[in-house]
Amino acid sequence: GENVEQHPSTLSVQEGDSAVIKCTYSDSASNYFPWYKQELGKRPQLIIDIRSNVGEKKDQRIAVTLNKTAKHFSLHITETQPEDSAVYFCAATVFNKFYFGSGTKLNVKP
Amino acid sequence: GAVVSQHPSRVICKSGTSVKIECRSLDFQATTMFWYRQFPKQSLMLMATSNEGSKATYEQGVEKDKFLINHASLTLSTLTVTSAHPEDSSFYICSARERASPETQYFGPGTRLLVL
């Protein structure tokens, strides 16, 4: 099955700085890559996604890049704010099944 | 937007008993529902895929006789943890997908199970 690796496991940044989270996947058939934000004890919330025919997508302070050849994709958050603090998960989708990365705990210090 | 509910939100049970968790899509028909398990500070692990009217497909390493899944209608899937033991304690989350948007999954709020 698909194997998704995510780094770093924890990330601490100062408010206003940028944060980058990276994921790799193993199955070249994966064609959809969503990113989720999860606050403690709550359900994951989709924040941005990218499809395999696109290299980059941006939504305000959040952007995602995809390198199909290298099988890796990244989440970029600019001008971080304390409310961005949460756990972020990447996922790769193969035949409409989601396989999640191990998560990154982002802490934005005021 | 699409809403998925889960019931109960938390449950405490004695070892050896069975626990049923419901996942409902409230405003759309879910052709497929997924069940995930999440340990504290860990990722979501896909347990099984449930298609309406057919048997669930389980991921490798997940005991189908232990985790019974039923998807009897387009709006309801149930996960029954049979003969629960303390190691089954976890956060169980379902998600639902509608036919029109096969790539989008709507997550339920999760059920926290504690087996004593």
Side-chain angles (χ1 to χ4, degrees):
Chain A
E2 173 65 283
N3 181 42
V4 179
E5 295 192 357
Q6 183 172 345
H7 300 280
S9 56
T10 59
L11 179 58
S12 191
V13 300
Q14 205 67 40
E15 182 178 0
D17 288 350
S18 295
V20 180
I21 303 171
K22 299 183 178 182
C23 288
T24 60
Y25 61 99
S26 60
D27 195 330
S28 57
S30 291
N31 57 3
Y32 175 66
F33 306 90
W35 285 87
Y36 288 86
K37 176 182 180 181
Q38 187 180 31
E39 297 178 2
L40 190 63
K42 296 189 177 180
R43 75 187 83 193
Q45 299 279 0
L46 178 68
I47 56 171
I48 196 167
D49 56 13
I50 191 167
R51 288 174 173 75
S52 58
N53 59 347
V54 175
E56 185 174 355
K57 182 177 179 180
K58 189 173 182 181
D59 182 4
Q60 298 183 334
R61 297 187 295 110
I62 297 173
V64 58
T65 59
L66 171 65
N67 183 328
K68 281 178 57 180
T69 304
K71 296 196 187 72
H72 65 70
F73 55 115
S74 301
L75 176 71
H76 304 251
I77 305 174
T78 58
E79 300 171 29
T80 53
Q81 301 166 4
E83 50 265 38
D84 293 330
S85 297
V87 178
Y88 291 80
F89 292 99
C90 63
T93 306
V94 181
F95 303 114
N96 292 320
K97 287 186 180 181
F98 282 29
Y99 295 92
F100 285 84
S102 52
T104 296
K105 184 174 182 180
L106 175 63
N107 179 33
V108 181
K109 295 178 285 186
Chain B
V3 178
V4 175
S5 70
Q6 266 182 258
H7 179 79
S9 58
R10 58 179 65 217
V11 56
I12 301 173
C13 69
K14 292 182 179 180
S15 185
T17 60
S18 294
V19 175
K20 181 185 282 188
I21 302 170
E22 292 186 348
C23 178
R24 292 181 184 272
S25 57
L26 298 185
D27 51 1
F28 67 99
Q29 292 186 328
T31 51
T32 305
M33 289 184 170
F34 301 89
W35 286 96
Y36 297 87
R37 182 174 182 175
Q38 187 176 32
F39 290 105
K41 299 183 180 180
Q42 293 192 26
S43 187
L44 288 84
M45 182 193 78
L46 179 64
M47 297 174 66
T49 303
S50 168
N51 293 300
E52 188 265 338
S54 63
K55 289 185 178 180
T57 304
Y58 290 81
E59 294 299 300
Q60 193 172 9
V62 178
E63 299 176 61
K64 60 181 179 182
D65 295 330
K66 172 77 172 175
F67 300 99
L68 300 178
I69 292 172
N70 182 278
H71 192 160
S73 76
L74 284 172
T75 59
L76 174 64
S77 177
T78 60
L79 167 67
T80 301
V81 183
T82 62
S83 186
H85 288 95
E87 57 265 30
D88 298 325
S89 299
S90 191
F91 192 51
Y92 292 87
I93 304 179
C94 71
S95 70
R97 189 179 75 199
E98 58 179 334
R99 195 191 310 275
S101 304
E103 291 175 336
T104 304
Q105 291 194 17
Y106 303 98
F107 285 90
T111 296
R112 188 162 300 282
L113 170 63
L114 176 61
V115 184
L116 302 176

